[in-house]
Amino acid sequence: MTTVVELGKRAQKAASQLGQLGTVQKNKLLEAMAQALIEKTTVILEANQSDLAAASELPRNFVDRLTLTKDRIEAAAAGLRQVAQLQDPIGQVDKAWVNAAGLRIAKRRVPLGVIGIIYEARPNVTVDAAALCFKSGNAVILRGGKEALQSNLQLAAVLRGVLAANDVNADAIQIIEDTSHETAARFMELTEYLDVLIPRGSARLIHAVVNQAKVPVIETGAGNCHVYVDRNSDKKMAADIIVNAKCQRPAVCNAIEKLLIHQDVAAEYLPYIAAKLAPYHVELRGDDTTQKILGTVVKPATVEDWSTEYNDYILAIKVVASFEEAVAHINKYNTKHSETIITNDYQRSQQFLDQIDAAAVYVNASTRFTDGFEYGFGAEIGISTQKLHARGPMGLEELTTTKYVVRGQGQIRK
Amino acid sequence: MTTVVELGKRAQKAASQLGQLGTVQKNKLLEAMAQALIEKTTVILEANQSDLAAASELPRNFVDRLTLTKDRIEAAAAGLRQVAQLQDPIGQVDKAWVNAAGLRIAKRRVPLGVIGIIYEARPNVTVDAAALCFKSGNAVILRGGKEALQSNLQLAAVLRGVLAANDVNADAIQIIEDTSHETAARFMELTEYLDVLIPRGSARLIHAVVNQAKVPVIETGAGNCHVYVDRNSDKKMAADIIVNAKCQRPAVCNAIEKLLIHQDVAAEYLPYIAAKLAPYHVELRGDDTTQKILGTVVKPATVEDWSTEYNDYILAIKVVASFEEAVAHINKYNTKHSETIITNDYQRSQQFLDQIDAAAVYVNASTRFTDGFEYGFGAEIGISTQKLHARGPMGLEELTTTKYVVRGQGQIRK
């Protein structure tokens, strides 16, 4: 089996070619990859069947994510075509100026180089991540969950086949075949060849990668998101946003986990909000005041609740005495993901946007909008909750870096 | 002595206030700090004397960097006033748009939070780094070389005094008093409180920090920079740029260490270039062809030479058979810092800019221009040679991150 060092060397070599490919050529290749996926549906499904056969004992959710179908392969192909449509960030000039010495300086977008992606047993991520890395001119080394290995190898073989047939180094897309923990550990320390490592998946996976990696990591994910309902606010708007942010898709990171509500409106709003949540069978956990207002429909919240991301139909509620208490609570317990205030008070709206420390802060909107597609980026590799390099939804541009391109006429420094 | 965890907590608390300070207030405080440094010159020099007394056995260069004088304190004060003049990146909106749901999305510049700086026994860095972090709204924890501790504590006391007198949390600027290796190691793992760690100093220091740190590091520094003299080029321009890039300040990272020259012009250019370098007593090391051309004035270059950053009056020379060989050599051995081509060939100039992987690539100009001041940023915290977050000269903007500020009218996700 190829060592990760060897994969790294090959990726680096492929990267130097990739960085020079034009947009038209990259788009044609992405379209050809989409076509190839459709044509190879049978062999892909066969590989997936062998993964599924070995995974029959695993939980239903897990097996569902591992499963490929004709429809899902078509969706992956459609995804490739969508990436072909995206604007190419490579070559874009962010700024350009002439300095005092007369040098023409331009800050030009270039690929990062080699990207490592670590993810779970989800074959669709293989195609998605490969497409985004390829379009942004980066070579990618993929380390997916071991249960999806046969599917991943077959999917990558199809994509690599398209590259090879078009005189592009197939090592632009590589899979780590050895899914042992030892190899994963070596992969995360491959500073000589990997420019960045992006873990995609559960909080546990991300945490493990952040802890182990020597390669710079872009941390994506965990969202302990809050909605704060201010004193001066629209009750119906508050309830609609809470229901949407909690129930539209509770398993994702931009769903809310906590409701903070100003004490002046808690008695009026909470029963109304609880009634709106009832059809979704949301388990409510509340502080003392909430329990007094809502009675037995609410369970007592413990101190652990305030820092927990449920990813489920659970909502913890706290009644706060002031706007300041809400801000302090959020900044103490949040995961710096997405936070929203429901208010009609101009001053409060500004203070919330200024004072809350998070990748995305909202006034009168659902936190569910924190998403590359919703923001209009056309794609998303994840939502960064760290502050370096990329913060919030990451599109193609976040998979690039810049270089200063400087044109002179013989200038020397005085 | 205060533990680094305690310093981290205090810094985080200070950071939340700092992020809300207005530009005018920050500038007034920087001016007041400058004034205070001048007024406290005597006590600062006394503290520096006690450092110097303990350092008398150390090398002259080292002692020189450790030494403060009235002039140097005035220069530090002038530096503070200069930072006050810089444009404040905080609050700046990089992009703003309306998404499909009608949300008004703005990508707003905000401080990183808490910055850790690890540096050598250079008290001027204490003031300089504190000023840049303060202006960009960040709290800073400074870990300078142990030989400068008394100077650093006194300098920080003066700056902190100004903050405290103006109702700003003095923990915006903190010094690690415990200069043990154990404490430095704990500091580099302080992921809960530090948003980023920036080592400033020698390649050895930077390497040690990159290797040990769990906190994200911005790697600055090492520069094995090349000049490539193409076949079609101006001999005098080539020599002038080589002399400038090698000799104007050989100890810095943007000085050139290597000269690659096309074989068609080597015999004509090299003696001319060597003559121009002679007054600076530059030691020349060359490959076989160079030795044949220049004779005994050049020593044989070994394979280690190609990857060595001398930071001294030494230049290694290689004659290449083609442009492609030059590009391959540079991409193999460079430290991704600054590279320049001397050419009159349009095609070659474009290819060099496209194909060389470095933070800054030049045509017909000295690599010595890779510098925050020369680029017009007005300040520099270092030159990043990594690809994430910041690449090339880092000014105030590179000490910030962004947050998405989103204004809605009740939008929920469909």
Side-chain angles (χ1 to χ4, degrees), chain B residues 1 3 28 34 43 68 77 92 138 142-143 172 176 195 201 215 222 236 253 274-275 287 292-293 363 373 384 412:
Chain B
M1 223 157 343
T3 65
K28 277 185 184 163
V43 292
L68 288 175
Q92 174 187 311
N138 296 289
L142 298 152
R143 201 283 187 189
I176 299 183
D195 291 290
V215 175
K236 182 175 180 304
C253 57
D287 65 350
K292 267 177 217 145
I293 295 169
V363 176
F373 296 93
S384 166
I412 59 171

Side-chain angles (χ1 to χ4, degrees), chain A residues 19-20 92 95 97 99-101 103 105 107-108 110-114 195-196 210-214 216-218 237 240-241 244 248-249 254 350-366 368-371 373-377 386-393 397-398 400-414, chain B residues 19-20 92 95 97 99-101 103 105 107-108 110-114 195-196 210-214 216-218 237 240-241 244 248-249 254 350-366 368-371 373-377 386-393 397-398 400-414:
Chain A
Q20 308 301 320
Q92 173 186 310
K95 303 180 192 179
W97 68 98
N99 81 344
L103 292 172
I105 305 176
K107 191 175 186 179
R108 182 198 280 184
V110 295
L112 282 166
V114 180
D195 291 291
V196 61
V210 168
N211 262 344
Q212 265 190 273
K214 290 252 182 250
V217 174
I218 297 181
M237 184 195 287
D240 288 347
I241 286 174
N244 181 257
Q248 198 233 1
R249 209 171 155 205
N254 58 18
Q350 302 301 305
Q351 290 170 329
F352 191 84
L353 295 175
D354 288 349
Q355 294 174 19
I356 292 293
D357 187 16
V361 282
Y362 293 83
V363 176
N364 295 343
S366 171
R368 289 277 295 114
F369 284 103
T370 305
D371 175 281
F373 296 94
E374 294 293 331
Y375 274 29
F377 302 162
Q386 65 178 41
K387 292 183 177 174
L388 283 189
H389 186 71
R391 195 177 194 203
E397 191 171 300
E398 282 71 26
T400 66
T401 182
T402 55
K403 77 173 165 190
Y404 287 106
V405 164
V406 186
R407 294 174 176 88
Q409 304 86 29
Q411 280 88 340
I412 59 170
R413 188 157 160 194
K414 299 284 182 275
Chain B
Q20 307 302 318
Q92 174 187 311
K95 304 180 191 178
W97 67 97
N99 81 344
L103 292 173
I105 304 177
K107 191 174 187 181
R108 183 199 281 183
V110 296
L112 283 166
V114 180
D195 291 290
V196 62
V210 168
N211 261 345
Q212 264 190 275
K214 291 253 181 245
V217 173
I218 297 180
M237 185 195 286
D240 288 347
I241 287 174
N244 181 258
Q248 197 232 2
R249 208 172 155 205
N254 57 19
Q350 302 301 304
Q351 289 170 329
F352 191 85
L353 295 175
D354 288 350
Q355 294 173 19
I356 292 293
D357 187 15
V361 282
Y362 293 83
V363 176
N364 294 345
S366 170
R368 289 279 294 115
F369 284 104
T370 306
D371 175 281
F373 296 93
E374 293 294 331
Y375 274 29
F377 301 164
Q386 65 178 41
K387 292 183 177 175
L388 283 190
H389 186 69
R391 195 177 194 204
E397 191 171 302
E398 282 70 27
T400 66
T401 181
T402 55
K403 77 174 166 190
Y404 287 106
V405 163
V406 186
R407 294 174 175 87
Q409 304 86 30
Q411 280 89 340
I412 59 171
R413 188 156 160 194
K414 297 285 183 273

Side-chain angles (χ1 to χ4, degrees), chain A residues 10 65 108 175 182 219 225 238-239 293 296 301 312 365 385:
Chain A
R10 291 180 189 172
R65 287 193 293 263
R108 182 198 280 184
I175 301 273
E182 295 70 36
E219 195 171 343
C225 304
I293 295 168
T296 53
D312 204 347
T385 52

Side-chain angles (χ1 to χ4, degrees), chain B residues 216-231:
Chain B
V217 173
I218 297 180
E219 197 171 341
T220 60
N224 181 26
C225 305
H226 299 71
V227 56
Y228 166 61
V229 180
D230 196 25
R231 176 163 49 177

Side-chain angles (χ1 to χ4, degrees), chain B residues 259-403:
Chain B
L259 162 60
L260 306 182
I261 186 162
H262 194 282
Q263 60 183 9
D264 290 2
V265 294
E268 181 198 346
Y269 285 21
L270 281 180
Y272 177 79
I273 293 166
K276 291 266 193 177
L277 288 168
Y280 299 92
H281 307 291
V282 176
E283 178 183 324
L284 303 179
R285 303 182 187 176
D287 65 350
D288 290 347
T289 316
T290 305
Q291 291 174 61
K292 267 177 217 145
I293 295 169
L294 289 180
T296 52
V297 306
V298 62
K299 295 183 181 175
T302 66
V303 68
E304 290 90 66
D305 275 299
W306 307 126
S307 52
T308 302
E309 183 185 12
Y310 307 117
N311 284 330
D312 204 346
Y313 288 94
I314 304 170
L315 181 71
I317 307 172
K318 186 181 171 72
V319 176
V320 294
S322 65
F323 171 84
E324 290 72 22
E325 186 188 341
V327 168
H329 181 94
I330 294 172
N331 280 337
K332 180 169 180 188
Y333 291 106
N334 79 344
T335 51
K336 318 289 177 213
H337 195 296
S338 301
E339 309 295 343
T340 189
I341 183 174
I342 315 301
T343 190
N344 291 322
D345 183 321
Y346 173 76
Q347 199 67 17
R348 291 306 186 213
S349 73
Q350 302 301 304
Q351 289 170 329
F352 191 85
L353 295 175
D354 288 350
Q355 294 173 19
I356 292 293
D357 187 15
V361 282
Y362 293 83
V363 176
N364 294 345
S366 170
T367 54
R368 289 279 294 115
F369 284 104
T370 306
D371 175 281
F373 296 93
E374 293 294 331
Y375 274 29
F377 301 164
E380 183 187 285
I381 193 93
I383 297 167
S384 166
T385 51
Q386 65 178 41
K387 292 183 177 175
L388 283 190
H389 186 69
R391 195 177 194 204
M394 296 170 60
L396 285 181
E397 191 171 302
E398 282 70 27
L399 296 180
T400 66
T401 181
T402 55
K403 77 174 166 190

